[in-house]
Amino acid sequence: MCSSKLKNLTQENISQINGRPVLQPKSNQVPTLDRRNSLKKSPPKPLNPIAASKIHSPRPISLNSPPLSPNSKSLRKPAGSCKELLRSSSVKSKPVKSPENSDGGYKEVVLMVIVEKQPGSIAAARREEVAMKQEERKKKISHYGRIKSVKSNEKNLNVEHEKKKRCSFITTSSDPIYVDYHDKEWGVPVHDDKLLFELLVLTGAQVGSDWTSVLKRRNTFREAFSGFEAELVADFNEKKIQSIVNDYGINLSQVLAIVDNSKQILKVKRDFGSFNKYIWGFMKHKPVTTKYTSCQKIPVKTSKSETISKDMVRRGFRFVGPTVIHSLMQAAGLTNDHLITCPRHLECTGMAAL
């Protein structure tokens, strides 16, 4: 009995390979034909047409696109929100009728097709935006009227400035009081002692400041120093000097210098007859006419201003450096430093010849 079982077991484990009997282990045994047929996979069931119509590819596939190379970069864009996807693409819906359902009617299935925008659509959107802005601008103009631009006003000022061709340090942004001083006083020969004393004070006051600021305070100086009457200013005592500092806001050192200069002017009058004769004596009573074409070429001091400065310092004057004296010479017309392109150049030259 045992031998028969062993025989049957041996026959089950023996197989023929190339006509030779070979003993196979249990794990390598080939299943029988019936079992092999039972293990065959069943074919997939056909999908319902309605369900198949609802399934759509998440990404459109272009049939005309060339095959991708293994080395080429991925064309896949980073995923974004649904709003961004719809913003960057146009969505088209197409109703499709499905076959009859169980009720005997038809169901309408909406297919969503995402089509990427073409490059030309960006330009079209831009053109629409520009057209809308132009339409809004036309409505504003029709309601409020057309407003002159600032550029046109600046252009008119520049044209007026070019017609007059003043000295280049006079610009469209210059203060009117400074422009008026240039057009009426600067470079005009001065022979009045009071006005020469006033110009000496103003040129000294503009050190560390500018002519526009000094000209705006011109009336303040006249009121504080008694109309620049040298005889009256020379008699100022300490109480009067302190009241000028407190009431008019003028620096104490500057007030003391003006009082001292008034005393020196009285001495010059005794020696030369007038302050006018003393100053114009250095010029031989004739102004110097320069022919500068650019303000950058106008010096801040000259050898003549240095000579006058040294003599005035020797006599006891204060705040009379070479630069201050050269500014006094320009203001009082001892030298005509208007540019030759400025119409005031010829006018001041004509005044000096009188």
Side-chain angles (χ1 to χ4, degrees):
M1 182 176 178
C2 293
S3 60
S4 62
K5 287 182 179 181
L6 180 62
K7 184 177 180 181
N8 293 334
L9 180 63
T10 305
Q11 288 178 356
E12 290 178 0
N13 296 340
I14 295 174
S15 63
Q16 298 291 330
I17 299 176
N18 295 332
R20 296 172 57 188
V22 178
L23 182 64
Q24 290 185 345
K26 189 69 175 176
S27 61
N28 290 343
Q29 290 183 9
V30 179
T32 60
L33 183 60
D34 295 336
R35 181 170 178 78
R36 189 183 302 169
N37 293 335
S38 65
L39 295 177
K40 286 183 179 180
K41 295 181 179 179
S42 58
K45 295 181 180 180
L47 296 175
N48 187 6
I50 298 176
S53 62
K54 291 184 179 181
I55 299 175
H56 61 278
S57 176
R59 295 176 57 196
I61 300 175
S62 177
L63 299 177
N64 297 328
S65 61
L68 297 177
S69 172
N71 299 327
S72 62
K73 296 182 180 179
S74 175
L75 299 177
R76 183 175 180 180
K77 296 181 180 179
S81 62
C82 294
K83 291 183 179 180
E84 294 177 355
L85 183 61
L86 293 176
R87 193 180 297 115
S88 61
S89 61
S90 59
V91 180
K92 296 181 181 179
S93 62
K94 183 179 179 182
V96 178
K97 287 188 176 181
S98 64
E100 290 187 7
N101 57 8
S102 58
D103 299 335
Y106 286 90
K107 284 186 177 180
E108 189 174 278
V109 180
V110 179
L111 294 179
M112 304 295 290
V113 182
I114 300 176
V115 182
E116 292 186 358
K117 280 189 174 183
Q118 299 299 325
S121 61
I122 300 175
R126 179 59 181 166
R127 285 194 294 270
E128 292 179 3
E129 183 181 355
V130 172
M132 290 176 62
K133 288 183 178 180
Q134 289 179 350
E135 190 66 25
E136 292 178 0
R137 183 172 176 272
K138 289 179 180 178
K139 291 180 180 179
K140 288 182 179 179
I141 291 174
S142 62
H143 182 73
Y144 297 104
R146 193 177 296 274
I147 301 173
K148 292 183 179 180
S149 63
V150 179
K151 290 184 178 180
S152 62
N153 294 335
E154 290 181 356
K155 187 176 180 181
N156 294 335
L157 291 175
N158 291 333
V159 170
E160 183 181 354
H161 176 68
E162 288 297 327
K163 286 181 179 179
K164 293 188 177 181
K165 291 183 180 179
R166 294 187 179 97
C167 296
S168 58
F169 57 82
I170 300 295
T171 63
T172 54
S173 59
S174 297
D175 194 280
I177 193 172
Y178 187 46
V179 177
D180 189 66
Y181 172 74
H182 168 272
D183 293 346
K184 296 179 180 179
E185 295 186 56
W186 196 67
V188 177
V190 176
H191 298 281
D192 182 67
D193 283 358
K194 289 170 55 178
L195 188 52
L196 285 172
F197 182 27
E198 179 180 351
L199 293 176
L200 178 63
V201 172
L202 296 179
T203 52
Q206 61 102 16
V207 175
S209 182
D210 58 275
W211 264 111
T212 303
S213 301
V214 172
L215 290 172
K216 288 181 178 180
R217 300 189 63 192
R218 191 173 189 176
N219 291 330
T220 303
F221 280 101
R222 286 175 177 172
E223 185 178 349
F225 296 102
S226 303
F228 294 103
E229 291 283 352
E231 291 79 7
L232 298 177
V233 177
D235 292 335
F236 284 176
N237 53 22
E238 293 183 2
K239 185 178 179 180
K240 178 65 175 179
I241 292 173
Q242 192 61 43
S243 66
I244 292 174
V245 174
N246 297 334
D247 297 341
Y248 299 99
I250 303 174
N251 191 9
L252 177 60
S253 61
Q254 190 175 2
V255 176
L256 293 174
I258 294 171
V259 173
D260 289 344
N261 288 344
S262 65
K263 294 177 181 179
Q264 303 307 320
I265 288 175
L266 294 179
K267 293 180 181 180
V268 167
K269 285 183 176 182
R270 288 195 296 265
D271 296 340
F272 293 88
S274 67
F275 187 50
N276 169 59
K277 291 181 179 180
Y278 167 73
I279 288 293
W280 281 93
F282 290 98
M283 311 300 297
K284 297 182 179 180
H285 302 280
K286 290 183 181 180
V288 175
T289 301
T290 59
K291 295 183 180 180
Y292 295 116
T293 57
S294 173
C295 287
Q296 285 74 19
K297 295 181 180 180
I298 301 176
V300 295
K301 62 181 180 179
T302 60
S303 59
K304 184 65 70 175
S305 68
E306 290 178 350
T307 301
I308 300 173
S309 174
K310 288 179 181 179
D311 189 77
M312 293 183 75
V313 170
R314 182 178 62 84
R315 292 179 179 274
F317 284 88
R318 299 173 59 186
F319 289 100
V320 286
T323 304
V324 174
I325 295 303
H326 184 67
S327 181
L328 172 65
M329 293 170 63
Q330 292 173 323
L334 279 75
T335 177
N336 181 7
D337 279 348
H338 283 282
L339 301 182
I340 58 175
T341 55
C342 179
R344 291 293 294 171
H345 183 272
L346 291 176
E347 292 175 4
C348 292
T349 301
M351 293 178 187
L354 297 177

